[in-house]
Structures are given as structure tokens and as C-alpha cells.
């Protein structure tokens, strides 16, 4: 006849025993747990890929910044003529497709199509609102400069390029210069579209008026 006290003791000991480590679980159970973790992590990974493209670290503009090169923060997307994003907003929506230029610094090389550039900017709360974006290579035929806020809403568009008459340019200079009205304390996105048969020597510079 079984002793009820011993049976109860064995039941209590079994309840208090530590759970088996994950690596001791039967393989079908462990495989199911791993598959469930992958499914749970996938939406988070997709969201991060859209909201924060790999390597897209905004260019920091502080109160004391007089000039800053946009090249370290620049990302590029190229599309054949007649293809690719329709406008700056469409390009912003595809910013996860932009990549670090695999070219020497400041030189994107020639391209027979549209070159889209994404330059995220983060202004300090005490930074000036007025900045100038300058491209020293004046032979670029057409350059469209657009500023979008953190939600992708278009704030400003400026047309530059060698094919734009001097009287129609925002600044009467040979260099391509666009005045930008930015928002201190906020993240903003500069989207450039370049179309030119020439080489694309492009290093966007953010300047204060005294550095022009």
C-alpha cells in the first residue's frame, strides 16, 4: 500500500523543481518557440527600417555652427529617366531605399537619369532658422532643393542649376545657393533631385550668412 505522506512529498518536490533549461526542451517545442519569436520581431524590424534608414544620422546644426558639410549624412537613390519618385514627398517616403554613396567624397560621378539625395538635419533649439545650402559645382544643369518636416510635409522648394537664368535664381551668384528657412529644435529633411549630363561633383554645404 502506498504511503500518502510520501506521495504528497514527491508532488511538492516536483512542483518546486526548477524548470528545465531551454536547451533541454524537446526540439519540436524549441523550434516552435523560436518561430514565434521571429514572427513577433518582424514588424518591429520593418518599422525601424522605414523610420530610421540604416546609417541615416542627421547632420547636427548648433547655435555656433557657421558651416557644415552635408556629405557624412548624405544618402543617395538613383533612377533612370522617367522612373523613380515623382516628387520630393515620394522620395521621402522611399528614404529607406537610399544608401551611402559608394563614391569618393563629394563626387557622385556621371549618371544619365535622376539622382536623389536625402540629407536629414537636426537643429538645436537655439540654432538660427535661416541657413544657406551651397553647391560649388555650378555646371549642374538642374537641381531641385526641397525641405520637408519630420512628418514628410513639404515646407519649401527651390530651383537651381546652370539652366536656370541668373535673374530667376534665389541668390545672384555663380555657385548654386539656396536660402533655407528651417525650424530650430526639429528634425527636417532636405531632398535634392539632380539631373545633368555632366559629372556630379556634389558636396552640400550648410552655411550661415557670414560664411558665404
Amino acid at each position: 500500500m502506498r504511503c500518502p505522506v510520501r506521495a504528497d512529498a514527491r508532488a511538492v518536490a516536483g512542483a518546486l523543481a526548477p524548470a528545465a533549461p531551454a536547451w533541454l526542451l524537446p526540439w519540436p517545442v524549441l523550434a516552435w518557440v523560436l518561430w514565434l519569436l521571429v514572427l513577433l520581431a518582424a514588424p518591429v524590424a520593418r518599422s525601424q527600417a522605414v523610420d530610421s534608414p540604416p546609417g541615416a544620422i542627421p547632420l547636427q546644426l548648433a547655435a555656433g555652427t557657421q558651416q557644415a558639410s552635408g556629405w557624412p549624412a548624405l544618402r543617395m537613390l538613383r533612377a533612370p529617366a522617367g522612373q523613380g519618385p515623382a516628387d520630393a514627398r515620394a522620395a521621402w517616403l522611399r528614404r529607406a531605399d537610399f544608401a551611402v554613396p559608394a563614391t569618393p567624397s563629394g563626387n557622385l560621378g556621371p549618371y544619365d537619369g535622376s539622382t536623389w539625395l536625402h540629407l536629414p538635419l537636426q537643429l538645436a533649439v537655439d540654432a538660427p532658422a535661416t541657413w544657406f545650402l551651397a553647391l560649388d559645382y555650378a555646371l549642374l544643369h538642374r537641381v531641385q532643393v526641397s525641405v520637408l518636416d519630420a512628418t514628410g510635409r513639404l515646407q519649401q522648394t527651390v530651383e537651381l542649376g546652370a539652366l536656370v537664368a541668373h535673374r530667376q535664381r534665389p541668390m545672384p551668384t555663380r555657385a548654386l545657393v539656396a536660402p533655407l528657412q528651417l525650424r530650430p529644435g526639429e528634425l527636417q529633411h532636405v531632398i535634392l533631385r539632380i539631373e545633368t549630363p555632366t559629372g556630379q561633383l556634389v558636396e552640400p554645404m550648410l552655411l550661415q550668412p557670414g560664411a558665404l
Side-chain angles (χ1 to χ4, degrees), residues 2 32 52 59 74 106 120 127 129-130 147 184 189 199:
R2 296 181 58 189
W32 182 85
S52 181
L59 177 65
L74 204 65
T130 300
V147 178
H189 301 268

Side-chain angles (χ1 to χ4, degrees), residues 24-137:
L24 294 181
L25 291 175
W27 169 244
V29 176
L30 183 58
W32 182 85
V33 172
L34 293 175
W35 176 77
L36 182 61
L37 290 175
V38 170
L39 287 181
L40 293 174
V44 176
R46 285 195 298 269
S47 175
Q48 290 177 343
V50 173
D51 295 339
S52 181
I57 301 175
L59 177 65
Q60 304 292 320
L61 299 178
T65 304
Q66 288 298 304
Q67 62 180 24
S69 170
W71 182 265
L74 204 65
R75 300 297 178 264
M76 179 175 71
L77 175 69
R78 279 179 158 166
Q83 302 180 31
D87 52 28
R89 164 72 178 177
W92 180 84
L93 290 172
R94 290 186 55 184
R95 62 195 181 281
D97 297 332
F98 285 62
V100 177
T103 62
S105 178
N107 186 353
L108 300 177
Y111 184 70
D112 186 18
S114 296
T115 296
W116 292 89
L117 300 175
H118 172 220
L119 177 58
L121 304 175
Q122 179 65 59
L123 272 69
V125 293
D126 56 350
T130 300
W131 292 82
F132 293 89
L133 185 142
L135 302 171
D136 281 342
Y137 192 58

